């Protein structure tokens, strides 16, 4: 098992760790991203060849926050997860960042799935989704220009904070993703 772990330190002392080679080995690329106790799994799969006649980039990005990530389980009348919420749909904007990084002549189907495995209620997982997806692409053999990152920047008391916590966002007067 060839496990690779990299760590990024933020200016406020928090760290983001990225691990690959341990889970989802049948995918083309997968990473587990951890910031505090917030954990995301990003996987990417691609078809070996493009469907004949395809003249566009068929890319699908799916982001899902499971109830179990926060320690809740659906019960009562609804026993299943249900449809995606507005926040999950907006987080799929990762597609807009990844799409231009593929070669213009690459037309094979690509499927990126980002799943929230654990949410600690402190760190915001949607800001980490693009970073996790890009890292999974970088681990794969799919042609991809360069890895990217997404961060949330908030202005709190006149200072800019990278990836603020939910608590810090209450005092923010500006929020940019």
């Amino acid at each position: 098992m060839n496990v690779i772990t990299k760590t990024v330190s933020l200016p406020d002392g928090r760290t983001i760790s990225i691990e690959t080679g341990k889970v989802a080995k049948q995918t083309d690329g997968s990473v587990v991203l951890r910031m505090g106790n917030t954990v995301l799994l990003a996987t990417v799969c691609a078809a070996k060849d493009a469907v004949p006649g395809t003249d566009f980039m068929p890319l699908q990005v799916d982001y899902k926050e499971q109830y179990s990530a926060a320690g809740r389980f659906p019960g009562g009348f609804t026993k299943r997860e249900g449809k995606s919420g507005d926040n999950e749909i907006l987080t799929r904007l990762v597609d807009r960042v990844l799409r231009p990084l593929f070669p213009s002549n690459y037309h094979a189907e690509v499927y990126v799935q980002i799943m929230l495995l654990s949410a600690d209620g402190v760190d915001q997982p949607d800001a980490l989704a693009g970073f996790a997806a890009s890292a999974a692409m970088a681990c794969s053999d799919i042609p991809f220009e360069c890895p990217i990152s997404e961060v949330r920047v908030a202005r709190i008391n006149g200072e800019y904070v990278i990836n603020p916590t939910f608590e810090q966002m209450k005092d923010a007067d500006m929020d940019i993703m």
Side-chain angles (χ1 to χ4, degrees):
M1 187 170 11
N2 187 14
V3 178
I4 300 169
T5 304
K6 298 290 181 185
T7 304
V8 177
S9 297
L10 296 178
D12 62 359
R14 295 180 296 164
T15 59
I16 300 172
S17 69
I18 306 165
E19 180 179 81
T20 186
K22 199 173 204 178
V23 296
K25 292 182 183 179
Q26 292 181 334
T27 62
D28 290 318
S30 68
V31 298
V32 175
L33 186 138
R34 178 184 306 269
M35 181 174 183
N37 287 328
T38 299
V39 181
L40 292 161
L41 170 65
T43 60
V44 61
C45 295
K48 297 300 175 201
D49 296 314
V51 175
T54 304
D55 61 349
F56 63 95
M57 172 62 195
L59 174 65
Q60 182 176 356
V61 177
D62 190 21
Y63 174 77
K64 192 69 176 166
E65 292 181 352
Q66 303 288 338
Y67 281 111
S68 60
R72 299 183 321 228
F73 297 92
F77 182 72
T78 55
K79 303 277 189 225
R80 295 190 176 92
E81 292 284 336
K83 66 177 189 161
S84 298
D86 292 341
N87 186 37
E88 292 172 324
I89 293 169
L90 290 174
T91 303
R92 292 182 193 159
L93 292 175
V94 171
D95 169 89
R96 306 298 189 272
V97 179
L98 294 179
R99 190 175 293 275
L101 299 175
F102 289 95
S104 60
N105 62 350
Y106 187 73
H107 301 302
E109 293 179 12
V110 177
Y111 184 70
V112 178
Q113 184 170 5
I114 309 153
M115 186 180 349
L116 181 65
L117 298 178
S118 174
D120 61 3
V122 177
D123 298 307
Q124 300 185 55
D126 59 348
L128 302 170
F131 189 22
S134 173
M137 289 295 302
C139 294
S140 72
D141 58 353
I142 300 168
F144 188 66
E145 192 172 318
C146 62
I148 55 102
S149 179
E150 283 186 347
V151 296
R152 168 173 271 126
V153 179
R155 185 172 57 197
I156 303 168
N157 299 328
E159 293 190 22
Y160 295 99
V161 178
I162 296 174
N163 287 345
T165 63
F166 284 112
E167 188 67 31
Q168 290 174 320
M169 284 303 293
K170 293 176 183 174
D171 300 327
D173 61 350
M174 183 181 75
D175 179 15
I176 299 175
M177 179 72 98

